[in-house]
């Protein structure tokens, strides 16, 4: 008969075998896909980047330009987009174009797809990255705002996908969806935003399954980002969050790599996003507590 009570051999087994094996599997998945990326893979590729006038989207446009891609950027502010386009040309883009307009407006979606079709002759990658303005504070009960944000952050992603799908099917292309840790776990102070990001996961993860059943050769990459040092995010949350932000340039490159390698999901930064998520299904309350500890609510701006 064993001299120890039942739980001890189980814990020993966990520590000695399961945890190292899990670590090895994760390390393998992470490194095997990252090492294969080559910037030449993007040369001559036709890419749409939404929300490209600032932040991560702008940086993605510059990386793509350096890699020799044909970039088509979009956002509402035409003057900023014009500067992005000029810089993309200077960095060596195959070509650089813009379409300005709000993603709330179907005319913008239509125009983007038309430009890709007629001027680029098709599309290889659709990077959905734009995000509507919201507040960083306790939920204020404004249902209209939730609806507006769902239109911009979710429904327009669906509309762009539907319109671009025929071109992406022809090229065997990729859809890249920029989401957030706040789209996988409940984070405080971004309730409407969080809802839109959870919706993206539901829609695109489900669509990926259907593509697989129907042998549709279009990849879907969902990007789970932590706190990134873009101007808007820093302004909204830097005082309240105890997390230090990651650089937008590196973040942009990791998104492009993941999309190009047709990865199912990108986690950036890996250790501060993927690892906490391992707790989600087994110790959700602990994860909630750890998340709350990274916030200083007393520093929230008065609404
Ligand atoms: N920064 C962070 O810490 C994190 C960011 N993310 C995600 O990364 C992505 C990029 O974030 P980030 O770079 O910080 O965002 P920014 O606020 O810097 O950029 C948002 C972009 O979206 C555009 N945009 C805003 N409203 C509209 C609209 N109605 N129609 C079309 N375009 C619009 C803006 O341009 P314009 O105003 O000219 O229209 C801008 O180009 C987002 O999807 C965000 O959710 C995820 C987790 C963390
Ligand atoms: C997911 C982030 C927290 C991750 C972490 O703790 O590691 C969110 C915390 C702050 C959010 C951003 C913010 O408040 C500013 C923008 C507000 C916009 O309406 C939405 C995009 C934001 C960039 C938003 C993105 C998620 C956070 C970074």
């Amino acid at each position: 008969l064993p001299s120890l009570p039942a739980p001890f051999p189980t814990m020993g087994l966990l520590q000695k075998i399961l945890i190292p094996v899990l670590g090895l599997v994760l390390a393998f998945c992470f490194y095997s896909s990252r090492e294969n990326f080559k910037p030449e893979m993007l040369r001559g590729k036709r890419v749409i980047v939404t929300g490209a006038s600032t932040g991560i989207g702008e940086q993605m446009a510059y990386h793509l330009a350096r890699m020799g891609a044909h970039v088509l950027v979009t956002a509402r502010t035409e003057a900023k987009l014009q500067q992005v386009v000029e810089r993309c040309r200077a960095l060596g883009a195959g070509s650089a174009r813009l379409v300005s307009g709000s993603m709330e407006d179907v005319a913008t979606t239509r125009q983007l797809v038309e430009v890709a079709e007629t001027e680029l002759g098709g599309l290889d990658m659709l990077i959905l990255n734009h995000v509507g303005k919201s507040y960083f504070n306790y939920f204020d009960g404004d249902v209209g705002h939730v609806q507006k944000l769902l239109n911009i952050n979710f429904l327009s992603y669906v509309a762009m996908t539907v319109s671009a799908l025929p071109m992406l099917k022809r090229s065997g292309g990729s859809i890249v969806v920029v989401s957030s840790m706040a789209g996988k776990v409940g984070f405080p102070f971004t309730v409407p935003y969080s809802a839109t990001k959870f919706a993206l996961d539901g829609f695109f993860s489900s669509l990926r399954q259907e593509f697989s059943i129907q042998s549709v050769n279009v990849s879907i990459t969902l990007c789970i980002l932590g706190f990134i040092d873009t101007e808007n995010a820093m302004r909204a949350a830097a005082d309240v969050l105890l997390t230090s932000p990651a650089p937008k340039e590196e973040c942009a490159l990791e998104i492009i790599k993941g999309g190009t390698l047709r990865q199912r999901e990108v986690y950036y930064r890996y250790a501060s996003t993927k690892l906490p998520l391992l707790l989600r299904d087994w110790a959700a309350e602990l994860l909630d507590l750890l998340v709350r500890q990274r916030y200083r609510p007393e520093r929230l701006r008065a609404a």
Side-chain angles (χ1 to χ4, degrees):
L1 280 180
S3 53
L4 285 169
F8 289 98
T10 318
M11 291 218 349
L13 193 73
L14 248 178
Q15 271 175 354
K16 283 192 188 129
I17 302 173
L18 275 180
I19 293 175
V21 167
L22 189 67
L24 280 176
V25 170
L26 284 176
F28 175 77
C29 296
F30 184 51
Y31 286 108
S32 59
S33 52
R34 279 165 64 100
E35 274 164 326
N36 291 334
F37 177 81
K38 291 183 189 68
E40 304 86 81
M41 290 171 167
L42 271 308
R43 188 171 305 134
K45 297 290 182 202
R46 301 153 298 181
V47 187
I48 291 180
V49 186
T50 72
S53 63
T54 53
I56 301 164
E58 178 184 0
Q59 297 306 318
M60 286 196 277
Y62 299 151
H63 283 302
L64 290 162
R66 283 185 206 101
M67 294 169 194
H70 298 280
V71 282
L72 173 51
V73 293
T74 184
R76 290 167 306 172
T77 321
E78 185 159 356
K80 281 194 196 162
L81 285 178
Q82 196 58 57
Q83 290 174 1
V84 173
V85 161
E86 275 158 27
R87 184 144 178 226
C88 283
R89 288 180 183 142
L91 288 170
S95 66
R97 291 176 172 77
L98 69 90
V99 166
S100 61
S102 173
M103 280 290 169
E104 285 168 283
D105 187 352
V106 282
T108 312
T109 333
R110 216 173 285 140
Q111 208 192 334
L112 269 168
V113 171
E114 237 172 69
V115 170
E117 189 88 69
T118 57
E119 296 184 32
L120 299 177
L123 187 68
D124 299 292
M125 189 181 277
L126 172 64
I127 304 183
L128 297 166
N129 164 78
H130 62 277
V131 64
K133 198 171 160 44
S134 190
Y135 54 88
F136 185 76
N137 216 315
Y138 290 98
F139 178 51
D140 64 6
D142 182 350
V143 180
H145 176 69
V146 179
Q147 197 157 21
K148 184 180 162 80
L149 215 58
L150 273 167
N151 280 334
I152 301 170
N153 296 5
F154 172 62
L155 281 175
S156 73
Y157 279 47
V158 174
M160 275 303 301
T161 298
V162 170
S163 313
L165 201 52
M167 283 190 288
L168 291 169
K169 281 184 177 172
R170 281 205 307 271
S171 64
S174 314
I175 301 169
V176 177
V177 179
V178 180
S179 187
S180 166
M181 272 295 271
K184 287 277 187 190
V185 179
F187 276 73
F189 314 131
T190 47
V191 170
Y193 169 82
S194 211
T196 67
K197 294 297 189 184
F198 268 79
L200 289 175
D201 196 348
F203 180 84
F204 284 100
S205 301
S206 188
L207 189 64
R208 191 195 290 112
Q209 289 279 42
E210 294 188 5
F211 283 1
S212 176
I213 293 168
Q214 297 171 306
S215 302
V216 172
N217 184 25
V218 176
S219 62
I220 296 178
T221 301
L222 185 71
C223 305
I224 313 305
L225 312 181
F227 188 26
I228 312 298
D229 68 357
T230 63
E231 246 179 80
N232 286 339
M234 293 297 286
R235 195 180 313 118
D239 289 347
V240 178
L241 273 174
L242 287 164
T243 320
S244 45
K248 57 181 185 281
E249 297 82 0
E250 186 182 66
C251 173
L253 186 58
E254 290 307 308
I255 294 173
I256 292 169
K257 283 183 185 175
T260 307
L261 297 173
R262 305 173 83 83
Q263 283 172 11
R264 174 195 172 81
E265 293 187 328
V266 166
Y267 287 85
Y268 181 81
R269 283 177 163 161
Y270 194 78
S272 55
T273 53
K274 184 73 180 177
L275 298 180
L277 282 177
L278 295 175
L279 290 177
R280 194 179 57 165
D281 296 333
W282 300 95
E285 281 170 7
L286 173 63
L287 179 58
D288 282 354
L289 178 72
L290 295 174
V291 166
R292 286 197 300 276
Q293 282 178 344
R294 305 218 311 258
Y295 284 76
R296 290 180 288 201
E298 68 282 3
R299 294 202 174 189
L300 285 169
R301 278 183 219 118

